[in-house]
Amino acid sequence: MSRRNHLHDEIRWRAVGMLQTDAKQSAVARELNVHRCVIHRLWNHYQWDQNASRGRGSRRRRITTTADDRYLLQCARLRRTLTARQLASQLPAAAGSSISRQTVPRRLHEGGLFAR
């Protein structure tokens, strides 16, 4: 089996067409050289909303930039006793964008810092 991150739309529609003609999922998977669970998920998705195309751009945008994240990490390393609320209140003064208290631990966790 070949390694792919996703199926192209033309292959997805080809698989749906084969499944609509009562072909077995395992046979379609063998024909397209993908794992059977990929075809299974594709068929379930198609039956749910009659669409085999991949959704694009549906993820939520990040509030902070990479520079903001670096600034938060730097502040947390320099002043280890600051709480998440205090760190969140420092960012608007430095970068001009405000973030919630819950975002701070997420960004610190992504940077490799953890609560003690």
Side-chain angles (χ1 to χ4, degrees):
M1 304 241 173
S2 66
R3 170 90 171 126
R4 290 186 228 155
N5 289 335
H6 65 273
L7 295 176
H8 296 289
D9 280 344
E10 59 195 37
I11 296 173
R12 295 172 73 88
W13 283 108
R14 183 173 158 208
V16 167
M18 293 168 73
L19 290 169
Q20 285 176 335
T21 61
D22 295 329
K24 291 187 177 185
Q25 291 180 3
S26 56
V28 173
R30 224 175 295 115
E31 174 86 18
L32 298 176
N33 197 22
V34 294
H35 201 274
R36 189 192 59 78
C37 69
V38 173
I39 301 301
H40 179 73
R41 282 195 312 263
L42 171 65
W43 185 239
N44 284 342
H45 176 72
Y46 177 76
Q47 287 179 325
W48 178 259
D49 65 355
Q50 300 298 313
N51 189 6
S53 299
R54 295 180 68 229
R56 289 175 177 74
S58 61
R59 292 195 332 196
R60 188 172 178 171
R61 286 187 147 177
R62 286 176 67 103
I63 295 174
T64 58
T65 62
T66 54
D68 295 341
D69 295 345
R70 281 195 308 267
Y71 178 76
L72 278 174
L73 285 168
Q74 183 182 15
C75 287
R77 284 186 183 120
L78 290 175
R79 300 189 203 161
R80 299 174 74 95
T81 58
L82 288 181
T83 63
R85 190 176 305 275
Q86 291 168 334
L87 282 170
S89 66
Q90 280 189 348
L91 189 64
S97 60
S98 61
I99 58 173
S100 70
R101 182 194 58 80
Q102 293 89 1
T103 304
V104 174
R106 267 188 245 123
R107 298 300 185 256
L108 294 180
H109 184 79
E110 289 170 1
L113 296 180
F114 304 96
R116 290 178 180 80

